[in-house]
Amino acid sequence: MPAITLPDGSVRQFDAPVTGTDVAAAIGPGLARAALAMKLDGKEVDLSTPIGQDASVVFITRRDPEALELIRHDAAHVLAEAVQALYPGTQVTIGPSIENGFYYDFARNDPFTPEDFPAIEAKMREIVGRGEKFVREEIDRDAAIAFFQDRGEKYKAQLIQDLPGTETISLYKQGDWLDLCRGPHMRSTADVGTAFKLMKVAGAYWRGDHRNAMLSRIYGTAWRDQKELDAYLHQLEEAERRDHRKIGKEMDLFHIQEEAVGSIFWHPKGWKLYRTVEAYMRRRLDANGYQEVKTPQLVDRSLWEKSGHWDNYRQNMFITQVQDEDKFLALKPMNCPCHIQIFRQGMRSYRELPLRMAEFGSCHRYEPSGALHGIMRVRAFTQDDAHIFCTEEQIAPETARFITLLSQIYADFGFPDFRIKFSDRPEARIGSDDLWDHAEASLREACAIAGVAYELNPGEGAFYGPKLEFVLRDAIGRDWQCGTLQVDPNLPERLDAEYVGEDGARHRPMMLHRAILGSFERFLGILIEQYAGRFPLWLAPVQAVVATIVADADDYAREVAAAFARAGLAVETDLSNQKINAKVREHSLAHVPVLAVVGRKEAESRTVALRRLGSQAQEVLSLDEAVARLASEATPPDLKSGNVA
RNA sequence: GCCGGCGUAGCUCAGGGGUAGAGCAACUGAUUCGUAAUCAGUAGGUCCACAGUUCGAUUCUGUGCGCCGGCACCA
C-alpha cells in the first residue's frame, strides 16, 4: 500500500491505491483547492494519476513557477477548441507552451486575422467558464490513427504515425472536445483562468520545414492573474520604446531606404557611435596580439569555387560582371578565403603561430527578404572578423583567451551576462569523425579552461566545424547571435594553407574563425536597445550640450564648448532664443547625457551648471573642473588608468 | 522565399470615390526668460509605384516594391 513522501520529508500511509487528488484532500482542503498537478517521483503528471506504490509527491499550485507552463499549455487546448467551434473544418496540429505564452498551429484554407481574436477570446472564456474536466485516456496506436483520420484530422494522424512504436498514445478530453496530447494538464479548463490574451497571427510551416504546407499560427500570452498579464503587456510596451529602429530615427542615427534595401545610411551621429565602437575594438585587438589587415571587396569567382562557397552559397552572393569581360566577380560574403591568401604569401613557420589576423571586413550577402530586420539583419555589414591560424594544441588555449577577451568587451559594453551555445557536428558535414572528435573536444576543453557554462545546440555546427555562439537578447526578447568561434580544419586544406613545423616538414594549420561583436550593425542595434539610447558618456554620440539662458552668455557658452572640444568631448551649443525649460526638455528627449547650462551667473563666475540625463539635480563647477571631470568620465573603459589592456 | 498586416507632410497619425488635415519638427518675427514645451505667423504632399474599374481614384480591384509580425534561412 502506498506510502507518500511529501516535500517536507513527512510520509503518509494509504490503505489502497490513491490519486494525487486523494492525497491532497487527505492533507487538507486548502491544498485540495490549490493543487493543479503534481510531480510524482520528480515527473510532472495529472493530479488524477493513480499512485499504487510508494512514491514522492510534490504538488504544483498556482504559486509555483511550473504552474505557468501548465496554464499556457491548457490555454492552447482551450484555444484549439474555441477555434474548431467557431471555424468548422479547421484542422488542429500542435500547440505548445512557450516563453510568456503559447501558440497553436491550425490548418485552414483562410488564415486567421487579428480581427478574429475578439470572437475567439470570447469563446475561450466561455470554455474556461464551463470548467470542463481534463480527462486523460490512453488509446491503441492504430485505433488512434483511424480515429483522427475519420475526423479528417490528417495532421494528428500523421503525428501519431511518426511517434515511436513504444510511445503511449494519450488523448485529453475537455467536455466534448479532445486532443492528442502527452499531458500533463490541470484539473479542468477553469484552471486556465482569465488572464490570457491572443497576441498575433503568423504563418508557420508544418513541422518547421519550408517544403511543407504553411499553417496558420495564433500566438497568445497567459498568466496566473490579471496583474501579471497587465505587467507583461506593460513591459512589452516599454520594450517597443527601446526598439533600435525607433530610437535610430529619434536620435537621427541612421536610415534605410528602398533603393538600398538591407544597407544602412549612417548619419553623422550614428557614424560617430560606430567610430567610437570601432576605435575601441581596434585598441582591444591591437593589445591582444591581432594584426589588422584589409582585403578586397570584389574577388574572382575562382577563389569562391575553391573555397566551396560558390557551390554552397551562390544564390546568396552578389555577383558582378563588367561589360565586355567574361569574368565574374563576387562581393565577398566573408573574409576567410582572403585572409588565407595573405597567410599563403611566403613561407610560414610554426614560430609564427598562433597568427591572429583581424579585419573589419565589409561583407555582402543576399539575405532572404523576410530575414531583414532593421540594422540587426542586413545585406551589407561589417564583421569584426579575425582568423587565428594555429596548431591543434593551440585551439584550446586560443579559444580560452578569446572567451576572456570577449567577456571583457561585453562587460565594457554593459553586457556582463550572455549565453553561450555549443553547436556540434551537423548531419551534413565534411571531414572525418575523428577530426570532429578532436575539434569538439578542444572546444569543450577551452570552455572548461575559460570557466564558462554553455548550452548544447546539437547538430547546429557549421558544415566545416563545431562552433560556439555568444548570444545577446534585444529589447523585445529576441535572441541574436553576436560573437562566434568556429573551429575549421577544412578551409586551410581546400585553399592550401601550410606552415613549416619544428620537424622541417609542411603542415596544415588549424583555423579559428572568430568574431566578438559579430557585425557592427547588429551589435550597435543591440547596444541601442540595451541603453534605450541613453548611452554611457564614452559611447554617446553627443556627449554634452552647452545651453544658454540669456543671449548675454553666448560668448561664454562658445568658450565652454571650445574647452570641452579641446578635451576631446563631442559637444554642441544651443544658443537658440528658447527658454531653458524648453532646452532641457529637448536635449533630454535627445538623450544627451550632459547638459551644461550657462547664464549670466556662470559667465561672470566662469562656472557651468551640469545637469545629468535622468536627474534633476544641478552641479555647479568651475569650467576647469567640469572639463577635467567630464573628460575623465568620457574615457573609454580600456583607456582608464589601472585598466590597461 | 512563405503566411498575415501595413504604406497619407521631416516625425507621430486622422481622413476618405469629387485632386487632403492635426500635433510636433522646420522657417520668419516678437520675446532674453534659471533647469522637461513662450507667443504669433509662414511654408510644407505625385496620399509608395504601375495597371484596371469609373465621368472622376489618394480612396475600390489587381500586380509590383518596401516596411512590420511570425515561419524558413543566417557560411
Side-chain angles (χ1 to χ4, degrees), chain A residues 421-443:
Chain A
K421 292 187 191 170
F422 187 117
S423 300
D424 61 11
R425 65 192 79 185
E427 265 182 46
R429 61 177 184 268
I430 52 176
S432 68
D433 284 354
D434 189 45
L435 217 57
W436 278 90
D437 288 342
H438 276 274
E440 287 170 4
S442 300
L443 265 192

Side-chain angles (χ1 to χ4, degrees), chain A residues 65-358:
Chain A
E66 292 91 341
L68 270 177
E69 226 173 289
L70 290 165
I71 290 168
R72 288 164 184 167
H73 182 196
D74 289 10
H77 278 233
V78 171
L79 167 62
E81 180 183 349
V83 163
Q84 289 204 311
L86 292 170
Y87 309 94
T90 303
Q91 293 185 66
V92 288
T93 68
I94 56 159
S97 76
I98 53 173
E99 191 173 6
N100 297 324
F102 60 93
Y103 68 77
Y104 209 110
D105 285 347
F106 299 98
R108 184 174 175 237
N109 288 337
D110 304 312
F112 298 101
T113 75
E115 281 160 32
D116 301 323
F117 286 177
I120 300 173
E121 282 177 349
K123 181 59 85 175
M124 287 175 74
R125 284 182 210 293
E126 188 189 313
I127 294 165
V128 169
R130 281 208 295 269
E132 301 281 9
K133 280 204 168 59
F134 285 110
V135 180
R136 182 188 170 94
E137 195 175 294
E138 289 178 7
I139 176 174
D140 172 73
R141 180 198 187 85
D142 292 336
I145 295 172
F147 175 80
F148 281 109
Q149 246 151 11
D150 281 353
R151 297 180 130 215
E153 298 279 8
K154 60 175 188 162
Y155 289 94
K156 283 289 180 193
Q158 197 188 330
L159 278 175
I160 302 168
Q161 221 143 26
D162 295 345
L163 284 174
T166 50
E167 188 92 3
T168 310
I169 311 293
S170 58
L171 304 176
Y172 275 83
K173 287 188 177 163
Q174 53 198 68
D176 298 331
W177 192 83
L178 62 76
D179 198 359
L180 169 76
C181 184
R182 189 181 288 124
H185 281 277
M186 299 185 290
R187 296 166 300 189
S188 81
T189 55
D191 285 334
V192 169
T194 54
F196 63 83
K197 182 172 162 47
L198 299 183
M199 301 296 284
K200 52 197 177 193
V201 291
Y205 296 109
W206 166 239
R207 299 198 145 166
D209 189 328
H210 69 278
R211 288 164 302 194
N212 290 339
M214 178 142 288
L215 307 171
S216 187
R217 174 175 298 180
I218 296 179
Y219 281 97
T221 187
W223 299 84
R224 290 178 286 203
D225 54 42
Q226 190 65 31
K227 218 171 117 189
E228 278 189 351
L229 173 62
D230 290 343
Y232 173 67
L233 296 176
H234 179 70
Q235 183 200 322
L236 274 188
E237 274 175 39
E238 288 297 307
E240 274 169 32
R241 283 193 203 132
R242 306 172 83 95
D243 191 308
H244 74 280
R245 291 163 297 194
K246 194 170 150 63
I247 291 176
K249 216 176 265 174
E250 287 166 359
M251 292 182 72
D252 195 18
L253 301 176
F254 59 81
H255 86 271
I256 296 175
Q257 68 186 49
E258 246 183 89
E259 290 80 357
V261 172
S263 303
I264 303 167
F265 290 80
W266 286 103
H267 297 195
K269 283 174 193 157
W271 191 241
K272 171 83 178 159
L273 175 65
Y274 186 112
R275 284 169 56 205
T276 302
V277 171
E278 186 186 50
Y280 164 86
M281 288 304 293
R282 182 168 278 131
R283 289 193 303 271
R284 283 284 187 213
L285 293 179
D286 285 349
N288 275 275
Y290 286 84
Q291 306 175 40
E292 187 177 331
V293 299
K294 196 75 183 171
T295 61
Q297 214 55 242
L298 285 166
V299 179
D300 192 89
R301 75 185 265 184
S302 58
L303 183 63
W304 306 112
E305 281 167 352
K306 271 188 225 155
S307 70
H309 292 100
W310 191 265
D311 284 341
N312 278 313
Y313 291 106
R314 163 125 178 58
Q315 272 76 16
N316 300 307
M317 288 166 70
F318 286 98
I319 315 287
T320 71
Q321 194 184 16
V322 179
Q323 214 174 1
D324 303 330
E325 247 194 73
D326 283 343
K327 285 180 142 189
F328 285 95
L329 302 172
L331 272 167
K332 69 174 169 185
M334 49 175 8
N335 309 296
C336 358
C338 294
H339 288 186
I340 294 180
Q341 302 315 302
I342 295 180
F343 184 87
R344 276 164 44 87
Q345 295 299 111
M347 190 75 84
R348 296 289 178 179
S349 156
Y350 72 95
R351 295 173 200 272
E352 293 179 73
L353 308 185
L355 191 154
R356 309 184 189 93
M357 195 183 291

